[in-house]
Amino acid sequence: MRSTRIAAIGAGFTLALTLTACAGEGAGSGGGGDDGGEGAGEDATVGVAMPTQTYERWVADGNNVREGLEEAGYNVDLQFANDDIPTQSQQIDQMITQGVDVLVIAAIDGTALSGQLQAAADAGIPVIAYDRLLRDSENVDFYVTFDNYQVGVAQATSLLHGLGLVDEEGNEVDDAPEGPFNVELFAGSLDDNNAHYFWDGAMDTLQPYLEDGTLEVPSGQTNIEQAATQRWEQETAQERMENLLTSTYNSGQELDGVLAPADPLSRGIINALRSDGRGQTIEDGLPVITGQDAEIASIKLIADGVQYSTIFKDTRDLADQAVSAATAFLEGNEPEANDTETYDNGVKVVPSYLLEIHTVYEDNITETLVDTGYYTEEQVESGQL
């Protein structure tokens, strides 16, 4: 059952963190390399390990971290691993062998680098986990990220908002339709720790509506293992959506919404739905589809009324925070944390700095992305950088 309120695209809401800053408690030496915590000086080198260049945001992240570190006067060894775990392991091994003073790591698989983390600790090299938590090791000194549980909450809230069930801030509305609404659920890659936080935040938000029958999942695929998308690949999400349409919706059953945790997945889902003749835009039949990372191609789709929403995480701020943490270690200090309770990696709670997120809808693209200088109007109109 499709709500007539779907066409009313709401304004975005901001989920701001109100965490009190406190000092970090990292286990690193502070200085890295051979300086024994006394500060590495202007000749210091920071190793930056990013997962892939095939995902728009990681290219931007890598470049932003490199530029920030270079502006601070440090040398940078930036490597992309093309989503291949052995490649990333080798790259980090090489950085350690060459004597970098700090490591900034956005892991492909947060559980796959224990040997490298131990080698870094043995060499006195502090390790900063970048957006993806490094798990199952005590040798993680700091974590910079966004509030990933709240990302999931925001995605689910935007789905409910698109269905007319809540307002932009997640409050139930008086004239909400009764439903039931048919929805399908997608999750990220199981080897990415963030995917579990996204899922938990989203499912905690959706659960009351699933329990009272307002939302239904006709496929029955309601756990993260069933919904997962390995390596966050667009093609994998598209194939799963095609399979769902064939197995569950082949009799013309209506699909009202899709929880998608990232923009490449959203675009794959949209491709499958369009190919199945389920409309070209939300106005003429496409379900409400969420997203994340505010990729320019998806921002164009939102502007055109195709994708409903995305979560904007300003990676410029994330890069700045990584630079700030690295600088603190290089100067023999501890980075400032604003969360020392949430991110347990299985061995220790890693002191963290969490950044705020924003939900982007059609009518706040300019305010959120253009006015802040993240994109230009021309880029939004063309859907290209």
Side-chain angles (χ1 to χ4, degrees):
M1 174 179 178
R2 180 172 298 280
S3 166
T4 56
R5 294 172 57 86
I6 288 177
I9 308 293
F13 65 93
T14 299
L15 290 170
L17 302 175
T18 55
L19 299 168
T20 303
C22 57
E25 300 175 357
S29 66
D34 298 325
D35 289 334
E38 298 300 322
E42 294 182 358
D43 292 332
T45 298
V46 180
V48 180
M50 290 285 156
T52 184
Q53 288 178 294
T54 60
Y55 200 138
E56 181 181 299
R57 71 149 294 190
W58 292 118
V59 176
D61 279 81
N63 290 336
N64 288 337
V65 173
R66 179 185 61 195
E67 290 169 6
L69 289 167
E70 288 176 345
E71 287 176 4
Y74 304 120
N75 302 308
V76 182
D77 182 2
L78 170 62
Q79 300 288 335
F80 294 90
N82 298 318
D83 266 333
D84 183 69
I85 295 170
T87 297
Q88 185 167 64
S89 299
Q90 292 166 7
Q91 289 172 342
I92 295 171
D93 283 336
Q94 185 176 30
M95 291 175 185
I96 295 169
T97 299
Q98 292 177 346
V100 299
D101 298 280
V102 175
L103 280 167
V104 177
I105 301 174
I108 298 168
D109 182 339
T111 67
L113 297 172
S114 296
Q116 285 71 32
L117 299 179
Q118 184 62 57
D122 293 343
I125 303 171
V127 173
I128 300 167
Y130 186 92
D131 203 34
R132 293 177 171 179
L133 186 60
L134 293 161
R135 294 193 53 81
D136 304 331
S137 173
E138 65 180 349
N139 303 310
V140 185
D141 300 285
F142 201 69
Y143 184 34
V144 293
T145 191
F146 297 87
D147 191 329
N148 296 307
Y149 179 87
Q150 287 298 329
V151 170
V153 171
Q155 289 171 338
T157 300
S158 70
L159 176 62
L160 295 171
H161 179 54
L163 296 173
L165 297 171
V166 302
D167 63 19
E168 299 155 10
E169 297 180 353
N171 302 309
E172 293 188 0
V173 296
D174 293 334
D175 56 347
E178 294 183 1
F181 295 97
N182 292 334
V183 300
E184 293 296 335
L185 311 172
F186 281 70
S189 191
L190 293 178
D191 55 12
D192 181 348
N193 193 66
N194 287 355
H196 300 269
Y197 281 97
F198 301 152
W199 179 262
D200 289 345
M203 294 308 294
D204 287 350
T205 304
L206 297 178
Q207 197 61 45
Y209 299 89
L210 292 166
E211 289 177 353
D212 69 14
T214 303
L215 300 181
E216 295 181 352
V217 183
S219 71
Q221 297 182 14
T222 57
N223 63 59
I224 190 171
E225 289 78 16
Q226 294 169 315
T229 310
Q230 182 70 5
R231 296 286 183 268
W232 301 90
E233 290 179 348
Q234 177 174 327
E235 296 79 8
T236 303
Q238 181 169 336
E239 181 179 3
R240 177 168 178 255
M241 189 73 253
E242 291 168 347
N243 291 337
L244 288 171
L245 291 169
T246 300
S247 64
T248 307
Y249 296 88
N250 58 358
S251 60
Q253 188 173 11
E254 195 158 5
L255 176 60
D256 300 297
V258 182
L259 177 76
D263 288 341
L265 279 61
S266 310
R267 295 196 295 273
I269 292 163
I270 289 166
N271 289 342
L273 291 165
R274 282 176 154 179
S275 296
D276 196 54
R278 292 179 177 264
Q280 295 297 305
T281 66
I282 297 172
E283 186 175 355
D284 64 20
L286 277 181
V288 172
I289 301 170
T290 65
Q292 181 182 191
D293 286 330
E295 291 194 349
I296 191 61
S298 284
I299 294 302
K300 169 66 171 171
L301 291 175
I302 293 172
D304 291 344
V306 178
Q307 183 173 320
Y308 188 69
S309 65
T310 189
I311 305 303
F312 173 48
K313 304 187 303 186
D314 195 334
T315 55
R316 297 170 299 183
D317 294 340
L318 185 62
D320 288 346
Q321 199 59 46
V323 172
S324 177
T327 299
F329 282 128
L330 290 167
E331 293 177 349
N333 302 315
E334 295 288 340
E336 177 187 49
N338 62 10
D339 187 303
T340 57
E341 299 179 357
T342 303
Y343 287 92
D344 187 335
N345 76 348
V347 176
K348 62 182 283 188
V349 176
V350 181
S352 307
Y353 195 98
L354 309 184
L355 295 158
E356 68 179 32
I357 61 171
H358 308 270
T359 303
V360 179
Y361 297 100
E362 182 180 2
D363 66 355
N364 72 333
I365 290 173
T366 298
E367 173 188 355
T368 308
L369 298 173
V370 177
D371 291 349
T372 61
Y374 198 78
Y375 293 133
T376 66
E377 290 183 5
E378 292 76 17
Q379 289 171 332
V380 172
E381 290 174 1
S382 68
Q384 296 180 341
L385 297 177

